[in-house]
Amino acid sequence: MSRPPSLMLADDKLEELIEQFNTLDADGNGFISVDEIGHALEVVGHKLPNYQIRDLIKEFDTNIKDGKIDIEEFKMMFAKLEDVRNLGRKFKKQVKESVGVKHIAGTNDASSEGTTHSVKANELSGFADWINKCLSGDPDCSAYLPLNPATGDLYQKTQDGIILCKMINWSVPETVDERAINKTKLDVYRKTENLLLAINSARAIGCSVVNIGAGDLLEGKPHLVLGLLWQIIRIGLLSDINIAHHPGLILLLEEGECLEDLFKLSPEQILLRWVNYHLRNSGCDRQISNFTSDISDSVAYFHLLSQIAPAEKEISTVGVHTRDLTQRAELMLQEADKIDCRTFVGPSEVVKGNYKLNLAFVANLFNSYPALEKPDDAEIEFVQETREERTYRNWMNSMGVSPFVNRLYNDLSSGIVIFQLYDIIQNGIVDWNKVHQKFPALRKVFLMIENCNYAVDLGKAIHLSLVGVGGKDIYDGNETLTLALVWQLMRAYTLSILKELTNSHEPVMDQDIIQWANQKLASAGKSSKVESFKDHSLADGRVFIDLIDAIAPNSIKYDLVRASDGDEDRLANAKYAISMGRKIGARIYALPEDIVEVKPKMILTVFACLMTRDMQKKGN
């Protein structure tokens, strides 16, 4: 699905636009109605009179003339408004730099066509302060902290990868094995190893790093450093906002809804409901629908703080009556400081409605003081996300799919994410004219099932085994059949890269990978070998460790490898193997437990990713 030529927006701006659209798309149906468009444009910085909004709808409501705008139409609409705004600026006699925004010429292929990246000083400050807070007790980071937003030293101090690895572990604990991080003698080569470890570990937790390389981070390119940090921080802040970690979220269900409806909400949408729940309980007549314009006067924040803070903190709402909005925001933040939650935003970020920073501020409030007590009579039956589901979900998100996949079965029901994956696996295979991207309420189910039927047909066209799988199974979220499709997509993606690297017209088979592994091990003088992906001798992780050392000689510190065959030692070896594989550049998504339990599907992906890296090294 290629970007229209007219849409020359920087990736960081597109990412923010998509996030805000998804927040405004409250029911998750893929579009916003005519009544919401004016507000949506105001949220992203364009307040227009009604007649201009009507003209824009006529111009950009191209897919189905229904007075509703989908994300692609919204992006083009926004791009035009930005073009008009920028054209006006060119005619000014003197062009002034935006306050708090630094513009950086793009460095990728698209950048040569005129894109720029904006780096917001307030985001630099918010992220730096959060890193200072999260890593303050880590002895490995004492030489780097505190980061000083005024000097922008964050870009220099993340160049060796240590802070990035530490923040990934803050976001998803134990993702990076500390033994794999180079902490001394940090020359360019060892820094690059750390950055590869950070990038591939970020990919494994669901960050999209398609346009980020170790060289970019080594150079400290601001928009890429901040873009990666935001994804890492966001995942950490939002990962526990679900019913499994907070059963009290059942209180946010609206009349006529059931628990399944809560599963369909993104973390951002849950946070909006959470704020509104506490606003109602406070007696405030205010309700919010976004984290931008609706919170800019601090009223919602004052009442939220008064509801969630422990009584002994004595939160005051007197500041609500202060007329100056900036002063009012400062008073609100002083109240937030009483519960150690003055994070991410300053007064100006509240008043200007910075989406990222206000989302982070609210998420931290929720994580610190959810103030949701599950009713005693409430019976909640839910199944926690499995490791397999999480791995597939993270893989999809790392591919840069939109919308972001929060819950595997719900978020695949329209087929849109699946089509994007097909296009990544085999560019051009999807006929987007056949894909429904809008889902009017009366035909929503029919159109989504039609999409899913087409998705199954495409799978069969690329020889996926989908016997007994129908489009309705995907729409219904049939777990067994959906996982069967998703696993084959992940496998097809991995093997398609291998096929390209080997310059073979024949598909890469399991036996080809096993043969490669054994030949690689033997050529490096290693005694370990592989019989199959079900080989129980793989459980101790040593085959993978030896294979990594064969691909990158002397990369493994064998004094760190456990010799015992106990469960704890096996897990330690598996963690080390996965991190070291990522450190040499392999895009491994599997988890250590997959190796210890010898999960054949995930074992295959580990070997395939290592083989891919070996082929890449030979190519270079």
Side-chain angles (χ1 to χ4, degrees):
M1 190 163 53
S2 59
R3 184 184 300 178
S6 60
L7 191 54
M8 296 308 298
L9 294 173
D11 290 341
D12 50 348
K13 176 59 71 175
L14 283 174
E15 176 195 348
E16 184 173 350
L17 203 65
I18 291 168
E19 287 175 342
Q20 293 175 341
F21 182 91
N22 290 339
T23 301
L24 292 161
D25 177 18
D27 57 3
N29 62 5
F31 58 83
I32 50 179
S33 70
V34 63
D35 296 330
E36 298 170 315
I37 290 168
H39 176 63
L41 290 172
E42 183 179 350
V43 165
V44 296
H46 291 278
K47 187 172 184 178
L48 303 174
N50 289 336
Y51 77 91
Q52 286 189 14
I53 295 171
R54 287 194 296 272
D55 289 344
L56 284 170
I57 292 170
K58 288 179 183 178
E59 180 178 354
F60 289 101
D61 183 18
T62 55
N63 291 343
I64 304 173
K65 294 292 184 179
D66 58 357
K68 296 175 181 178
I69 295 293
D70 65 23
I71 181 60
E72 293 303 320
E73 293 166 343
F74 189 60
K75 286 192 286 189
M76 288 189 287
M77 183 183 291
F78 177 81
K80 176 175 180 176
L81 293 171
E82 288 289 286
D83 286 343
V84 171
R85 174 183 286 175
N86 292 336
L87 185 62
R89 287 172 179 165
K90 288 181 182 178
F91 281 101
K92 290 185 178 181
K93 197 170 183 178
Q94 183 179 9
V95 179
K96 296 184 178 180
E97 194 77 24
S98 300
V99 177
V101 178
K102 181 179 180 182
H103 295 285
I104 298 173
T107 54
N108 55 23
D109 293 338
S111 299
S112 62
E113 300 179 39
T115 59
T116 60
H117 301 275
S118 60
V119 176
K120 297 179 181 178
N122 48 18
E123 291 180 5
L124 169 62
S125 178
F127 297 166
D129 287 344
W130 184 248
I131 292 170
N132 288 338
K133 182 173 183 177
C134 292
L135 303 182
S136 61
D138 191 321
D140 292 330
C141 297
S142 59
Y144 302 88
L145 305 181
L147 299 174
N148 185 351
T151 63
D153 62 355
L154 179 149
Y155 306 123
Q156 289 73 45
K157 292 182 177 180
T158 54
Q159 287 175 329
D160 63 17
I162 292 177
I163 284 178
L164 292 172
C165 287
K166 296 285 187 175
M167 285 304 297
I168 289 168
N169 276 350
W170 169 83
S171 180
V172 182
E174 298 188 19
T175 297
V176 179
D177 189 324
E178 292 272 346
R179 296 172 294 173
I181 304 174
N182 297 329
K183 299 178 182 178
T184 59
K185 300 178 181 178
L186 293 171
D187 56 21
V188 172
Y189 178 76
R190 287 169 66 80
K191 287 179 181 179
T192 301
E193 284 186 323
N194 279 351
L195 291 170
L196 282 173
L197 173 59
I199 289 170
N200 288 316
S201 297
R203 183 181 275 115
I205 66 171
C207 296
S208 175
V209 293
V210 176
N211 296 317
I212 302 175
D216 299 315
L217 302 179
L218 192 62
E219 292 177 26
K221 293 179 180 176
H223 65 286
L224 296 179
V225 174
L226 290 185
L228 179 57
L229 277 172
W230 166 240
Q231 290 189 75
I232 294 168
I233 291 170
R234 180 184 178 277
I235 286 171
L237 288 170
L238 303 185
S239 60
D240 288 347
I241 301 177
N242 53 58
I243 196 78
H245 289 90
H246 297 281
L249 285 173
I250 194 173
L251 295 170
L252 306 187
L253 287 174
E254 297 176 355
E255 187 175 349
E257 289 185 334
C258 62
L259 195 59
E260 188 63 27
D261 294 304
L262 197 61
F263 290 145
K264 296 176 183 178
L265 299 178
S266 69
E268 293 92 336
Q269 291 166 339
I270 290 175
L271 286 175
L272 285 171
R273 286 201 181 192
W274 174 71
V275 173
N276 288 331
Y277 169 81
H278 285 300
L279 290 179
R280 286 193 296 271
N281 288 346
S282 73
C284 176
D285 59 1
R286 177 75 64 90
Q287 294 281 276
I288 70 168
S289 61
N290 58 67
F291 295 117
T292 52
S293 58
D294 285 1
I295 51 79
S296 61
D297 64 2
S298 299
V299 172
Y301 282 161
F302 268 112
H303 290 286
L304 175 63
L305 289 168
S306 71
Q307 285 296 113
I308 66 175
E312 63 270 18
K313 298 298 182 179
E314 298 182 345
I315 298 295
S316 171
T317 60
V318 173
V320 144
H321 304 293
T322 301
R323 299 190 67 175
D324 182 272
L325 292 184
T326 302
Q327 292 178 9
R328 186 190 298 173
E330 171 58 31
L331 292 173
M332 179 275 295
L333 290 172
Q334 290 176 17
E335 298 304 310
D337 199 28
K338 293 180 180 179
I339 56 174
D340 195 29
C341 287
R342 182 170 183 152
T343 56
F344 292 107
V345 293
S348 64
E349 288 72 61
V350 175
V351 174
K352 293 177 182 178
N354 181 292
Y355 173 77
K356 289 181 182 178
L357 297 181
N358 280 283
L359 172 64
F361 175 68
V362 174
N364 183 53
L365 286 175
F366 177 91
N367 291 329
S368 303
Y369 297 95
L372 294 171
E373 293 295 331
K374 182 177 74 71
D376 293 334
D377 59 345
E379 294 185 8
I380 302 177
E381 292 184 14
F382 59 89
V383 179
Q384 199 158 358
E385 184 179 48
T386 66
R387 290 201 314 270
E388 184 182 18
E389 291 164 352
R390 185 165 73 252
T391 299
Y392 295 154
R393 183 171 57 80
N394 287 340
W395 167 67
M396 292 177 184
N397 288 326
S398 75
M399 294 291 103
V401 298
S402 178
F404 192 88
V405 179
N406 292 295
R407 190 166 185 265
L408 196 63
Y409 308 109
N410 292 116
D411 295 341
L412 299 187
S413 62
S414 71
I416 298 296
V417 168
I418 299 173
F419 292 129
Q420 293 173 57
L421 294 172
Y422 277 130
D423 243 3
I424 292 169
I425 294 167
Q426 188 173 323
N427 187 34
I429 190 174
V430 178
D431 181 352
W432 287 96
N433 292 320
K434 293 183 178 180
V435 177
H436 303 291
Q437 299 188 58
K438 282 188 174 184
F439 306 100
L442 293 178
R443 303 184 66 217
K444 179 178 179 180
V445 173
F446 172 77
L447 295 177
M448 285 187 169
I449 292 176
E450 199 167 73
N451 271 0
C452 292
N453 283 333
Y454 180 39
V456 172
D457 290 341
L458 284 177
K460 293 176 181 177
I462 62 171
H463 309 297
L464 302 187
S465 177
L466 297 174
V467 177
V469 181
K472 192 170 187 304
D473 298 314
I474 308 302
Y475 171 79
D476 288 339
N478 181 299
E479 295 183 11
T480 301
L481 299 181
T482 300
L483 288 177
L485 170 61
V486 173
W487 153 243
Q488 291 184 79
L489 286 171
M490 185 177 183
R491 185 179 188 275
Y493 166 75
T494 305
L495 297 183
S496 68
I497 296 174
L498 262 181
K499 181 180 177 182
E500 185 177 325
L501 289 170
T502 55
N503 293 317
S504 172
H505 297 294
E506 298 298 322
V508 178
M509 309 301 289
D510 292 5
Q511 197 56 42
D512 296 327
I513 299 173
I514 292 172
Q515 183 179 355
W516 162 82
N518 286 327
Q519 288 177 348
K520 195 72 185 178
L521 289 165
S523 67
K526 308 292 185 183
S527 60
S528 51
K529 61 183 299 185
V530 188
E531 297 294 337
S532 74
F533 299 136
K534 299 178 181 179
D535 188 344
H536 286 283
S537 68
L538 299 173
D540 65 5
R542 292 185 68 90
V543 168
F544 300 101
I545 289 170
D546 286 344
L547 189 54
I548 290 163
D549 199 61
I551 296 168
N554 302 315
S555 59
I556 294 294
K557 297 178 182 177
Y558 276 94
D559 59 324
L560 298 177
V561 180
R562 307 280 184 91
S564 169
D565 200 33
D567 290 342
E568 185 177 329
D569 290 339
R570 287 182 174 188
L571 186 61
N573 284 349
K575 288 178 179 178
Y576 186 53
I578 286 176
S579 283
M580 288 305 298
R582 291 169 181 162
K583 185 177 178 178
I584 67 167
R587 301 179 178 184
I588 298 173
Y589 291 90
L591 298 170
E593 293 83 357
D594 296 323
I595 291 178
V596 173
E597 297 173 14
V598 193
K599 298 291 186 181
K601 292 177 181 178
M602 291 297 110
I603 292 287
L604 180 154
T605 66
V606 177
F607 277 115
C609 289
L610 290 173
M611 182 177 175
T612 298
R613 184 56 184 151
D614 188 42
M615 297 293 118
Q616 289 170 334
K617 285 170 69 73
K618 288 179 179 177
N620 291 335

